[in-house]
Amino acid sequence: MRSSARTGLRTTPANSDRPAAQRRPRARLGLAAAVATVLALTGCSAGQAGTAGDTDLFTAAIVQAYTTPPDPDVNYDGPGLNIIQNTYEGLVKYEDGTGTAKIVPSLASAWKVSQDGLTYTFTLRDGVTFHDGTPLTSKAVAEAVERRAQVDGGPAYMTADVTKVATPDDHTAVLTLSAPNSAFLDYLASPFGLKLISPTVLAKHAGKDHAQTWLTSHDAGTGPYELTSAKTGDSYELTAYDDYWGDKPAFAAVELEISQNASAAQLELERGEIDAILGNLNKSSFESYAKSQAVTTSTFPNLTTQMVYVNPESKAFTSVGQRKRLFAGIDTKSILAAAMGSLEEPTSQLFPQGMLDSALDDQGITYDKDALAGIAASAPAKGRTVRIGYAGSSADGKAVAEELASRMNSAGLKAEAVAYAAGSIYKLTDDLAAAPDLAVFAVFPDAGHPDSWGRIIYTPKGGLDLFGAEVDGLDADLDKALTTTESSAYGPVARSVIDSRNWFSIGSLNTTLLTTPGITGTREAQNLLEYNVLHFAALGRS
């Protein structure tokens, strides 16, 4: 999306305290370390009910805070996708269960794009109904686009280029863009992309906020499950929709609990009181179950990428050459092995692994065991303490930042890892002189398209350029690349960012999953673009 199209779309979603600069894409903020006691279990309804193992019921704990309404035009938070992606559907989606971001049909059975890249024609499936019984027609597409603009939440930018939606018949929707945008189909396929909502519900419950109040505790989608109970920030219940157009779910109901106590949730899982834990687990917690008979562990690839950001005003790393030497001194393989184990894979690519051909975005860094010692002896860094910032709520960031600081200290370069509150790490540009020299930070893109990463991470207007570093001409290169479908157009973008040495992608994080033995379909239930999310209709019990 062009910078101009993004301007004015930074209104913070309702009931969210996320600063505007944090949005598009979201940062991966890990769970806080928790010390469990038996008393912590008393507040867990799934544990009290002892329902895990029931043939028709799946129970899971989401170990991460979630208070955003499950409204597809408002939700811009990872945990909420466990509700959104099971109750709503879009025109297209990314294929589940694979390590590639392949766009496949959803509510649109087919589509075509005009030669000039301005018109997208979608053919809708026949026989689809919303959960209130309203048949799916092209009217729902037009109203969904209109509502997304009216609500103007975090994901609104994805359809901001749509100037017109024509509905020549009930099963044809034609979307016209203001300018060619090669990322548009990816925006539609995004987990946060356009979802179709029952026009009947939107009219009946419109109120003064386009039905936002009603959709806080209800859904109006076409997905395999209906939202039948919502206690915001506490628990949610999903029930299989009897008239779903696709394959019927094996589980008739799903119960989700929001828990910020990871250890308590793990005890529940071990005792068979819940079926799964969805949430960031640190290395020791996850690997402790490697030989467990009571818990099954698995990982799934994800586009979440952990990076080292360099403060452009750091007094320790004042030149491109010094920053390149710094990156050469970071032994990503051994650092990630020590800090993350199987939860993260080292990467040599600047963009999320696999998004571009590696020939386009290989960072060209070879580990040099003497580099850090050389930096310690050099004039800019000599005698200084290098501060490495990380989000205080991120177990991953903490582990890697502390391991990196330890390696620097061993090489004679004084360093310390510094935690920042979730909100404050997005405000480092307010005072770069007081900001840390480096930041360890992990993010995942909204979509599987390079524009959704490059523009947001590497430009000050994007929202996740933590230190506000700038690369001359990058916006123009991104705009040019967006007009073509050739991924090679992002080669110059990648090269200019790599040459600046302000960012260093070090690893690709994996989604982690803990379940009770006998839960099947977990791979098919996961998606490369979604972190700690399950598509419950793919699950079963052996």
Side-chain angles (χ1 to χ4, degrees):
M1 184 68 67
R2 295 161 184 74
S3 300
S4 59
R6 288 177 177 273
T7 303
L9 292 177
R10 300 189 177 279
T11 304
T12 303
N15 298 329
S16 172
D17 59 359
R18 179 187 291 112
Q22 181 183 348
R23 296 162 46 228
R24 296 197 302 274
R26 299 129 320 282
R28 175 187 173 183
L29 300 181
L31 59 92
V35 179
T37 66
V38 174
L39 291 176
L41 297 174
T42 60
C44 186
S45 60
Q48 292 169 346
T51 52
D54 289 358
T55 302
D56 293 336
L57 177 64
F58 181 82
T59 57
I62 298 178
V63 189
Q64 195 170 347
Y66 174 65
T67 58
T68 305
D71 181 332
D73 292 324
V74 175
N75 179 76
Y76 203 46
D77 210 354
L81 293 177
N82 280 292
I83 301 169
I84 301 293
Q85 290 293 79
N86 285 288
T87 55
Y88 291 92
E89 295 169 308
L91 294 168
V92 293
K93 64 180 182 179
Y94 288 113
E95 186 174 22
D96 296 332
T98 71
T100 57
K102 179 182 178 182
I103 298 175
V104 296
S106 186
L107 293 180
S109 58
W111 61 89
K112 60 181 180 180
V113 184
S114 63
Q115 191 170 2
D116 62 6
L118 294 177
T119 304
Y120 290 70
T121 302
F122 295 92
T123 301
L124 303 185
R125 292 186 186 276
D126 195 13
V128 178
T129 60
F130 292 94
H131 295 158
D132 66 330
T134 300
L136 170 66
T137 68
S138 55
K139 177 184 178 182
V141 180
E143 294 202 9
V145 172
E146 182 180 6
R147 181 180 190 263
R148 179 152 285 209
Q150 291 169 333
V151 172
D152 197 17
Y157 79 95
M158 295 181 175
T159 52
D161 278 355
V162 178
T163 59
K164 179 182 178 183
V165 180
T167 56
D169 59 60
D170 282 351
H171 289 89
T172 305
V174 183
L175 280 62
T176 301
L177 307 186
S178 58
N181 183 342
S182 62
F184 184 63
L185 273 178
D186 286 271
Y187 289 153
L188 292 180
S190 165
F192 300 96
L194 184 73
K195 300 296 188 289
L196 302 194
I197 305 173
S198 168
T200 304
V201 168
L202 293 180
K204 182 177 180 180
H205 300 283
K208 296 181 179 180
D209 60 0
H210 311 291
Q212 288 185 71
T213 298
W214 197 82
L215 291 178
T216 295
S217 54
H218 303 80
D219 88 272
T222 61
Y225 285 93
E226 300 179 73
L227 178 63
T228 47
S229 175
K231 298 178 181 178
T232 302
D234 180 43
S235 63
Y236 301 84
E237 178 186 80
L238 307 178
T239 302
Y241 177 48
D242 289 338
D243 294 325
Y244 182 57
W245 63 269
D247 294 335
K248 301 298 186 289
F251 289 109
V254 175
E255 290 183 358
L256 301 175
E257 256 190 23
I258 308 302
S259 171
Q260 295 189 55
N261 190 321
S263 299
Q266 290 169 33
L267 285 175
E268 287 185 282
L269 185 66
E270 292 168 11
R271 299 192 309 210
E273 295 169 350
I274 58 176
D275 290 306
I277 293 178
L278 305 174
N280 310 352
L281 296 172
N282 60 34
K283 174 190 173 186
S284 59
S285 294
F286 185 76
E287 293 183 348
S288 67
Y289 291 107
K291 297 181 180 179
S292 172
Q293 299 297 311
V295 176
T296 299
T297 66
S298 63
T299 61
F300 190 79
N302 195 267
L303 291 184
T304 301
T305 301
Q306 194 165 51
M307 296 180 293
V308 174
Y309 289 68
V310 183
N311 184 341
E313 294 191 15
S314 168
K315 302 300 182 183
F317 312 106
T318 57
S319 71
V320 171
Q322 289 160 356
R323 296 192 292 272
K324 184 176 182 179
R325 191 192 307 179
L326 164 68
F327 294 165
I330 299 176
D331 186 0
T332 55
K333 290 184 178 179
S334 66
I335 287 175
L336 294 181
M340 299 298 295
S342 61
L343 307 188
E344 186 169 355
E345 303 291 337
T347 183
S348 62
Q349 293 187 249
L350 178 72
F351 282 67
Q353 197 160 319
M355 184 175 280
L356 292 176
D357 187 302
S358 60
L360 295 174
D361 69 338
D362 187 283
Q363 296 172 103
I365 296 295
T366 301
Y367 172 59
D368 178 356
K369 63 182 179 60
D370 299 318
L372 291 182
I375 292 173
S378 69
K382 191 172 184 178
R384 296 183 180 278
T385 296
V386 174
R387 291 183 301 134
I388 307 169
Y390 64 91
S393 56
S394 171
D396 303 332
K398 181 177 188 293
V400 174
E402 289 182 346
E403 186 67 26
L404 176 57
S406 175
R407 302 297 178 95
M408 287 182 167
N409 283 310
S410 295
L413 181 62
K414 293 192 293 184
E416 62 177 357
V418 182
Y420 284 80
S424 62
I425 200 165
Y426 302 102
K427 301 177 181 178
L428 297 179
T429 54
D430 290 351
D431 188 355
L432 287 178
D437 300 279
L438 310 173
V440 173
F441 201 65
V443 292
F444 63 100
D446 285 351
H449 191 280
D451 186 76
S452 73
W453 181 267
R455 196 181 300 273
I456 297 165
I457 305 297
Y458 307 126
T459 70
K461 295 179 181 179
L464 286 176
D465 183 1
L466 294 184
F467 291 120
E470 295 188 59
V471 177
D472 289 343
L474 190 63
D475 279 317
D477 285 344
L478 284 164
D479 286 346
K480 181 179 179 181
L482 201 58
T483 65
T484 175
T485 58
E486 298 297 327
S487 61
S488 59
Y490 288 89
V493 172
R495 180 47 49 198
S496 61
V497 172
I498 291 169
D499 289 346
S500 76
R501 301 298 176 185
N502 285 315
W503 301 269
F504 183 31
S505 296
I506 60 173
S508 300
L509 288 110
N510 292 319
T511 291
T512 59
L513 180 63
L514 300 181
T515 66
T516 53
I519 296 299
T520 62
T522 55
R523 181 175 180 84
E524 293 77 10
Q526 295 184 78
N527 195 284
L528 183 71
L529 271 294
E530 300 166 21
Y531 192 78
N532 293 329
V533 174
L534 286 179
H535 294 185
F536 303 117
L539 300 176
R541 196 188 302 278
S542 62

